[in-house]
Every structure is written in structure tokens, then in C-alpha cells.
Amino acid sequence: MSQTSHTPTAGGDHPRPSGAVQGPQRRLRLAAYPSLLAMPALLLLIAAMGYPLLTVTLRSFSDPAWGLQNYVWFFSTPVNVTVLWRTFSIAAWVTIVCVIAAYPYAYLMTAVGPRLRLVLILCVLVPFWVSGVVRTLAWVILLQDSGIINSVIRLLGFDGVKLIRTQTGVVIGMAQVLLPFMILPLYSVMRGIDLRLVQAARSLGARPARAFLQIYLPLSLPGVFAGAIIVFILSLGFYITPALLGSTMLSTLVQSQVLSLLNWGRGGAMGGVLLVATFVLLALAAPLMRQRHKQASRS
């Protein structure tokens, strides 16, 4: 006959099987090592991003021969340096446009009622359900010389504006695509701000503009910085929108070197320069972000 081991209780009247304790013990053991929970995601990240990135980096130094010749070629070619500067310039302008457009929208989302807030959230999420190519082609139709925007400008008595195949048109198209990535972090921070602080400042004699600038704006800066970093980094790697709207960014040159010329070394060098430059900017902005976050937390 099989015997079942029992664990005596404090009173000794109700014995429990020893296996019943193993479940909670295993959960406690797993909770003691939270890094184990992140292992599947970490392995997926290494397989999907770490290995390809390492491969491209190695090829930038080894193709066609080991050395720095690909990086020397990049910085000695004026076109590459110009396109690199243009890439960061367009990314900065897209970030500025998104901050200006997203801040009042996110604030409105926190100020309206639940039903209207749901409508505003749906307006933010709908672009995620539409292909980026479709949205960019729509902007091609709107921004072309005979498009709707120029037609309206001419009806108002002004001369047409050159928007297609310009940096201005690229900034407009990219800002529309990336605007949700700015609105959502802003909204998540703004919804946690206690509006009674602004009301208290106004009750003490502060004007609405001063109460907003000294109370509400500093508390919302962490959301501004978080959204700005997301938009800026995503802007640096954009390919479809600049290509269809007629502007050359570094991603376009990488595509040309890798797919058209089959020069993986030079393409990897371009990607490496862009990655290092991005990390340098983030390292410079990190102390400022931490300082602003601490100030907002103290407030």
C-alpha cells in the first residue's frame, strides 16, 4: 500500500499533504529571482536585435577588409555628412512640432468628461490601424503642387507653396505619423497631476497663465521628455515617409548601399555612426531629464 506523508499543523488535528506547500514555495522561490521572469523577453531581444546589430557592426569593420576604411569613407564624403546633419535636423523639427501639437491635445484629454475622452483616445489610436504607406501616400496627394492645400491657398489669394519634395513636407508627414507617440506619454503623466494645486495657486492670487507655467508645466515635463525621446529616436530611422515625400535621410543611403550596391560594410558604417550619435545625444540629455524628474517629484 502506498503511504502519503502528512505535515502536522499547530493543533495536530488537520494534517496537510506535503505537496500542498510546494506550490507556494515555488512561487516564493520564483519571486526571489525576478530576473528569471525577464529571461524569455531578454532572449527574444538578443535574438531579434542583439545578434543582427552585432553582425552589422562587425561587417562595418571587416567588409571588404578589416579596418576603419568604411568610417573614413563616410566622414570624408561631404554628401554623407550633409545627409547625417539633415537627418538629425528633421528629427529635431518633427519632435518640436509633435510637442507643440500634442501638449494641448493631451491636456484636453485630461480636462473633458469620460465620453469625450474616449472619443479623443480613439482619434489617437486610429492612425495605428492604418498602414504608414497609406498615410504617406495621402500626404503626397495633399502636399503636391496641385493638391488640396495649395488649391485652398490659391483660393485665398496667395501664391502656392512648395511642400512636396521639401524638408517642410517631410516634417509634416512624419509629425502626423509620430504624434500618437507623443500624446500617450503626455497623457499618462498629465492624468496623474493634481489639478487642485493649480486651483490653490489661483486662489492665492496667481493669474491662470502664471499658475500654469509655475505649477502645471513643471509637473508635466517628464511626459514631455519621455515623448520627445521616443519621437526623436523613431524619426532618425524613418524610411518610407521621407522616400515618398521626396527627401533623403540617412536611412535612404543605408538602403541604397545595402540593397542596391550590396555594400554591407559602408551600410553598416552608416548605421553605426547613426547609432553612436543617438547614444551620445541620449547620454547628454539623461542628466537633464533626471534633474527635471526630481524637481517635478519634489513639487
Side-chain angles (χ1 to χ4, degrees):
M1 296 179 64
S2 60
Q3 297 179 355
T4 304
S5 61
H6 298 279
T7 302
T9 60
D13 297 328
H14 304 283
R16 294 180 303 172
S18 59
V21 187
Q22 295 179 0
Q25 288 180 348
R26 291 176 180 175
R27 289 194 292 268
L28 291 175
R29 196 179 302 117
L30 186 61
Y33 300 96
S35 58
L36 297 177
L37 301 176
M39 286 302 297
L42 182 61
L43 293 176
L44 180 61
L45 185 64
I46 293 175
M49 295 188 61
Y51 177 73
L53 184 61
L54 179 62
T55 302
V56 172
T57 303
L58 290 177
R59 297 194 70 166
S60 69
F61 291 101
S62 62
D63 190 357
W66 284 97
L68 299 175
Q69 64 273 6
N70 293 320
Y71 293 92
V72 173
W73 164 82
F74 179 86
F75 288 105
S76 62
T77 305
V79 175
N80 296 333
V81 180
T82 302
V83 173
L84 178 64
W85 169 253
R86 182 188 304 161
T87 300
F88 279 89
S89 176
I90 290 177
W93 278 111
V94 170
T95 304
I96 294 173
V97 171
C98 286
V99 170
I100 296 175
Y103 197 95
Y105 190 93
Y107 179 80
L108 180 63
M109 291 172 63
T110 62
V112 298
R115 293 185 179 179
L116 185 55
R117 184 183 299 117
L118 179 60
V119 175
L120 295 177
I121 293 176
L122 287 176
C123 292
V124 175
L125 297 179
V126 163
F128 286 113
W129 305 335
V130 181
S131 172
V133 178
V134 175
R135 284 182 285 174
T136 303
L137 290 176
W139 277 112
V140 172
I141 298 174
L142 293 174
L143 298 176
Q144 61 184 347
D145 297 336
S146 58
I148 298 176
I149 296 178
N150 274 309
S151 299
V152 173
I153 293 176
R154 293 189 182 96
L155 287 176
L156 296 176
F158 300 98
D159 295 333
V161 180
K162 184 68 175 180
L163 294 175
I164 197 71
R165 292 180 296 276
T166 62
Q167 292 189 28
T168 303
V170 174
V171 169
I172 294 174
M174 290 176 59
Q176 189 270 332
V177 175
L178 295 174
L179 192 59
F181 294 98
M182 178 66 70
I183 293 177
L184 295 178
L186 269 174
Y187 171 68
S188 65
V189 172
M190 288 181 174
R191 66 180 298 184
I193 298 177
D194 192 353
L195 297 180
R196 292 177 297 180
L197 298 174
V198 180
Q199 297 174 0
R202 295 183 61 181
S203 65
L204 294 175
R207 294 182 178 179
R210 185 177 181 181
F212 175 81
L213 293 175
Q214 294 187 354
I215 303 297
Y216 193 89
L217 181 60
L219 294 175
S220 64
L221 286 182
V224 175
F225 288 137
I229 288 178
I230 295 174
V231 171
F232 185 80
I233 293 177
L234 292 177
S235 300
L236 293 176
F238 253 55
Y239 171 73
I240 295 177
T241 302
L244 293 180
L245 294 180
S247 182
T248 302
M249 295 180 66
L250 197 61
S251 58
T252 308
L253 295 184
V254 173
Q255 184 271 343
S256 176
Q257 290 291 332
V258 173
L259 296 182
S260 300
L261 302 178
L262 300 179
N263 196 330
W264 285 84
R266 291 183 175 181
M270 291 180 176
V273 169
L274 182 61
L275 184 63
V276 171
T278 304
F279 283 159
V280 170
L281 289 178
L282 290 178
L284 295 176
L288 178 62
M289 291 180 56
R290 286 195 295 265
Q291 182 180 1
R292 293 291 185 181
H293 185 73
K294 290 181 181 178
Q295 292 178 356
S297 300
R298 292 172 183 173
S299 301

